[in-house]
Amino acid sequence: SSSSSYISDPSHPVPYTAMPAAHRSAAMMTEDQRPFATRPDVLSFATSPLGKDLVFMGPVQVKINAAISTTDADFVVKILDIYPDSAGQMAAYQLPVRMDVLRGRFRNGFDHESSFVPGKISEVNITLQNIAHVFRQGHRIGIQIQSSWFPLIDINPQQCINIATAKPTDFMPAHVTIYHQRDAASTITFGVLK
């Protein structure tokens, strides 16, 4: 059995950028993700350094097996190109390659909401935008998973209620567990160009 957990607290959301600005800029699309990797509410995973170049092509399918302590949560997934320590000014840089979010209540379709059963493992499927990226030899493939991305997405009260009419007392922390064990493996599937 194997899993990783974090507490998603609406009063301390993960920001979408480490460089606050009055307006969102395109710089966030290439911003180093290392500042977020040290947060206790962000899970970070990485491969070993690649032995050869690897070309990702096409859509990326993410399947997360998660159990939460509340009835709703958001799932933000980032795929990162982690540069080697020997890369000079780019040493250990965590370049975002793809980032996207799914409000968990819509995991079974956007035409209806599905509450989570607290503590029960639920499958959350996210299709990231198509990708065309070369992970160079010596680089690592990184993944970050979190449940907030403020203010890029609004804060989820982490209950399956109407967010527009939610009161401050409706917002509650959620204990999020991501499973990566054999019988409940969370996976990322992508095409590789030969």
Side-chain angles (χ1 to χ4, degrees):
S1 61
S2 169
S3 63
S4 301
S5 300
Y6 59 92
I7 302 294
S8 173
D9 187 347
S11 63
H12 300 287
V14 180
Y16 80 93
T17 179
M19 302 174 290
H23 301 284
R24 188 174 75 190
S25 75
M28 71 159 283
M29 300 304 294
T30 57
E31 182 181 345
D32 190 353
Q33 298 298 298
R34 280 180 291 181
F36 309 108
T38 59
R39 287 183 59 113
D41 52 357
V42 176
L43 295 181
S44 297
F45 304 94
T47 65
S48 299
L50 298 174
K52 61 179 183 180
D53 288 359
L54 186 65
V55 182
F56 274 27
M57 292 292 291
V60 179
Q61 301 293 334
V62 178
K63 181 181 79 173
I64 298 173
N65 279 301
I68 63 175
S69 62
T70 55
T71 57
D72 192 25
D74 295 334
F75 293 90
V76 178
V77 178
K78 303 174 186 175
I79 297 178
L80 311 173
D81 185 341
I82 303 176
Y83 283 61
D85 292 339
S86 60
Q89 289 185 333
M90 296 289 286
Y93 197 92
Q94 294 188 9
L95 174 72
V97 176
R98 278 293 174 266
M99 303 182 286
D100 215 336
V101 60
L102 179 69
R103 183 141 286 165
R105 68 179 74 178
F106 297 114
R107 68 193 180 283
N108 296 320
F110 291 108
D111 56 341
H112 65 283
E113 298 181 1
S114 300
S115 297
F116 286 82
V117 176
K120 180 183 177 187
I121 297 176
S122 295
E123 189 174 294
V124 179
N125 292 292
I126 306 170
T127 301
L128 304 184
Q129 292 178 346
N130 285 8
I131 194 171
H133 183 80
V134 179
F135 290 87
R136 295 292 182 191
Q137 180 179 353
H139 289 221
R140 294 181 295 146
I141 300 168
I143 305 294
Q144 286 183 1
I145 299 174
Q146 60 202 55
S147 289
S148 53
W149 211 13
F150 184 76
L152 203 58
I153 57 169
D154 58 344
I155 295 175
N156 189 337
Q158 302 182 139
Q159 299 188 71
C160 210
I161 60 175
N162 185 334
I163 294 174
T165 58
K167 302 182 295 293
T169 54
D170 291 328
F171 290 77
M172 59 177 51
H175 185 271
V176 180
T177 301
I178 306 295
Y179 291 87
H180 35 75
Q181 61 197 43
R182 181 173 297 174
D183 63 341
S186 296
T187 61
I188 296 181
T189 307
F190 51 86
V192 176
L193 186 66
K194 299 274 186 182

